[in-house]
Amino acid sequence: MTAPTTTAHDSWSELQTTALLGTDRRPLPAPAGPPALAAAAGAVDRADPATALLDLAALATVRRRAGALPLPAPALPAPAEDDPRPEVPEAAARRLGFLLGGRGPDTSLANLTELLPQWLAAARAHGYRPPPVHLPALLDTARARSELRPDVVALAGPLGRWLAERNPDWRFVGRTAGAALPVDPTEVTAEHTSEHAGGGTAAGEQIWQEGLFAERVTHLTRLRRRDPAAGLDLLRSTWATERAEDRLLFLDALQDGLSGADEEFLEAALGDRSKNVRATAAELLSTLPGSALAARMAERARACVRPLDGVLAVDPPTECDTAMQRDGIPPKSPTGRGQRSWWLGEIVAAAPLSLWTDATGLTPGQLLALPAREGGEADGTDWSAELREAWARAAVRQRDESWARALLGPAPRTGGADRSAGAPAKLLAVLPAAERATWTAAFVRTHGLGDAFQLLGACATPWTPPLSTAVVAALERAAGSGAYPWSHSGVLGMTERALAPAAAPAVEALAADAAPETAWSDTFTRLAETLRLRAAMLAELVP
């Protein structure tokens, strides 16, 4: 039998086959090929076939690599767009390095995790760009912490987008809604607006037609914030071909810039085959007091509730007809509430709040004080709680400050009457920032921190000095009562993010007064250092 000829082309495959089958089942290939290679292969000691196989493989590898020709140099990518923003000051850049590294310049106990979001927000508000050397770490951090992405992507700017195009781990850069907007909408320049308003650009059209779902939502959201009409046109162009779950989230994006111009589209969506899409369209329409849906709801509300001799006579619906269902009222309560109560709440929550004040000449506070009885009878079912809950939902939807203020009631005070406020945190969010802080400070002074978490979360940061003082005093009372810090872990975490830096001396005093090496001592020390570092950090970012 003639031995196979080992050529320069197939010697490697011969060696591979021998390695796979084993040298005891297949003999080593005979020396072959160019004279120099054949001579070297012939000199290999074949006493141990396995060792000889490795030596022959090494020879073949050297030959293959020596004969390889360099590939043509790849074309360099186009550089990133210029970024005209100024780079952060040197001290702030060093601080960013510490924050990204998770360690301070000394043995500080400050919570750096809580400080990083504030550094990013402040740097973004000042219109800075970060040092390029920190961009990879920033993008990696935002990949792990999604709440940081809008600020990180906005700060990263053109260079960040350029880097993200080359690293699949940073794909979120193209999917992060709102990242291109400055924190303060008044900072949007004409040039910036012109750059991003074009939903009809080739790149935007490609994203909308071919992008991933998250990229499409981001594109629609950004476009909607800058040019609501263009956003609506874009959504309308493919609406009929979208999946129901996608239509739902696309519809949700219309909250930005919602106006009467969207009514016709939303009215058509009330006939959508998806129940969730119909419900979302109805909710959006209910935030437009002048819409046809609001008028239909107002007519139903007038039939259910009417003033009568100093009371509100309530006659809830006895059925949920087809027209009500088309307007987004589910026939069955998903909450377990009675059906009539559920239908009444949905109608009143979607009706314009001006309906009640215009029809009665009463203020929201006066209307809330009226008893609400079924049929207006003294012994009729009390519907006050249902009405209050529905009005609270309407106040949040319609962003009505006067109703929100009336539903919340006066700032809480010790010994004062407690009033049911429905969803106080949501109602607070309707009020101006200063009023929110004042009301919440009074609540904390009166009720402590136990039920204040959501209210504090509705307040703008940093907290005002009065609110910060109220929280510090409440923490002091909590420590004095023997409670454990972890009983207030949620509020403490928020405090590290939101407490005014001016409160640092008061917190340091609490740390000094606390028993050494106790949980409260550590908590106050850590909080004081966080405040101190935050003050220094923000000062470094001032231009």
Side-chain angles (χ1 to χ4, degrees):
M1 183 176 180
T2 304
T5 301
T6 306
T7 66
H9 174 70
D10 62 5
S11 62
W12 183 253
S13 62
E14 286 286 328
L15 290 169
Q16 281 185 309
T17 304
T18 303
L20 289 171
L21 296 176
T23 54
D24 56 337
R25 297 177 58 190
R26 185 180 178 89
L28 294 171
L37 177 63
V44 170
D45 182 0
R46 300 190 174 220
D48 180 359
T51 303
L53 176 65
L54 294 176
D55 289 343
L56 291 171
L59 274 174
T61 300
V62 170
R63 180 179 179 277
R64 288 158 67 94
R65 291 184 177 176
L69 296 176
L71 294 173
L76 293 176
E81 299 173 24
D82 290 337
D83 191 341
R85 298 175 298 174
E87 191 168 297
V88 296
E90 184 177 347
R94 283 198 301 273
R95 181 79 64 185
L96 176 60
F98 290 131
L99 296 177
L100 290 172
R103 60 179 179 79
D106 45 31
T107 57
S108 170
L109 297 175
N111 190 336
L112 302 185
T113 303
E114 297 294 351
L115 289 174
L116 179 59
Q118 296 179 16
W119 190 98
L120 296 173
R124 181 181 178 184
H126 285 305
Y128 289 126
R129 61 182 168 85
V133 68
H134 288 320
L135 277 181
L138 263 179
L139 293 171
D140 277 340
T141 302
R143 182 192 178 208
R145 296 179 60 181
S146 59
E147 81 276 12
L148 303 180
R149 290 178 184 176
D151 282 335
V152 167
V153 174
L155 279 171
L159 183 54
R161 294 193 292 274
W162 187 91
L163 290 171
E165 291 172 358
R166 286 152 184 82
N167 188 340
D169 289 344
W170 299 334
R171 285 176 180 161
F172 66 85
V173 171
R175 306 170 190 166
T176 302
L181 281 173
V183 173
D184 183 352
T186 61
E187 298 174 4
V188 179
T189 64
E191 181 181 0
H192 187 93
T193 303
S194 175
E195 175 189 351
H196 292 281
T201 63
E205 184 65 21
Q206 184 176 11
I207 291 174
W208 185 248
Q209 296 295 339
E210 303 173 10
L212 300 174
F213 176 67
E215 293 170 338
R216 300 181 71 209
V217 171
T218 300
H219 176 65
L220 176 62
T221 303
R222 288 176 176 172
L223 180 59
R224 181 72 181 174
R225 288 175 181 172
R226 289 170 173 78
D227 189 344
L232 180 61
D233 288 343
L234 182 68
L235 180 57
R236 186 186 280 127
S237 67
T238 58
W239 178 256
T241 60
E242 304 288 355
R243 300 182 307 165
E245 54 268 37
D246 295 351
R247 291 201 302 277
L248 178 63
L249 292 182
F250 288 146
L251 201 61
D252 201 48
L254 294 188
Q255 291 186 67
D256 289 306
L258 186 69
S259 71
D262 304 311
E263 183 180 356
E264 181 182 352
F265 178 81
L266 293 173
E267 271 287 336
L270 290 176
D272 196 275
R273 57 185 179 277
S274 165
K275 178 179 66 176
N276 292 331
V277 171
R278 295 197 302 272
T280 301
E283 184 163 347
L284 289 173
L285 283 168
S286 70
T287 66
L288 298 173
S291 68
L293 179 136
R296 295 193 295 272
M297 289 297 188
E299 183 178 352
R300 296 181 181 116
R302 278 191 290 268
C304 294
V305 183
R306 66 186 190 285
L308 178 67
D309 298 331
V311 301
L312 292 175
V314 181
D315 294 299
T318 56
E319 64 172 344
C320 185
D321 57 31
T322 304
M324 290 170 62
Q325 294 181 42
R326 184 183 181 277
D327 283 345
I329 301 177
K332 293 185 178 179
S333 167
T335 63
R337 296 165 58 190
Q339 301 288 57
R340 297 181 69 205
S341 172
W342 165 252
W343 298 330
L344 174 68
E346 290 294 288
I347 290 171
V348 174
L353 285 165
S354 58
L355 160 72
W356 311 106
T357 50
D358 292 349
T360 63
L362 301 176
T363 65
Q366 291 169 328
L367 282 163
L368 288 169
L370 293 178
R373 304 281 184 185
E374 183 149 2
E377 302 293 336
D379 57 350
T381 303
D382 187 354
W383 291 95
S384 301
E386 283 76 7
L387 271 184
R388 177 180 293 274
E389 176 66 26
W391 279 331
R393 290 162 56 197
V396 173
R397 284 184 185 180
Q398 297 171 35
R399 312 294 298 174
D400 191 304
E401 291 183 15
S402 60
W403 273 93
R405 195 172 289 117
L407 286 156
L408 281 169
R413 66 182 189 280
T414 303
D418 287 336
R419 299 184 61 175
S420 172
K426 292 182 179 179
L427 291 170
L428 265 183
V430 177
L431 301 180
E435 192 172 349
R436 267 180 272 162
T438 300
W439 199 94
T440 305
F443 183 93
V444 171
R445 283 193 294 270
T446 305
H447 301 290
L449 299 172
D451 298 318
F453 180 76
Q454 291 184 328
L455 300 176
L456 290 168
C459 294
T461 59
W463 291 337
T464 61
L467 178 56
S468 296
T469 299
V471 171
V472 171
L475 288 174
E476 182 179 12
R477 292 197 299 273
S481 69
Y484 294 107
W486 45 87
S487 300
H488 302 285
S489 57
V491 171
L492 282 169
M494 197 180 298
T495 300
E496 290 184 326
R497 294 191 294 273
L499 201 64
V507 179
E508 288 171 349
L510 292 180
D513 292 342
E517 299 182 358
T518 61
W520 278 110
S521 173
D522 293 344
T523 297
F524 289 139
T525 301
R526 179 187 177 94
L527 178 57
E529 292 204 27
T530 300
L531 294 176
R532 181 175 54 80
L533 278 187
R534 185 196 300 151
M537 178 185 81
L538 296 177
E540 292 164 355
L541 284 165
V542 174

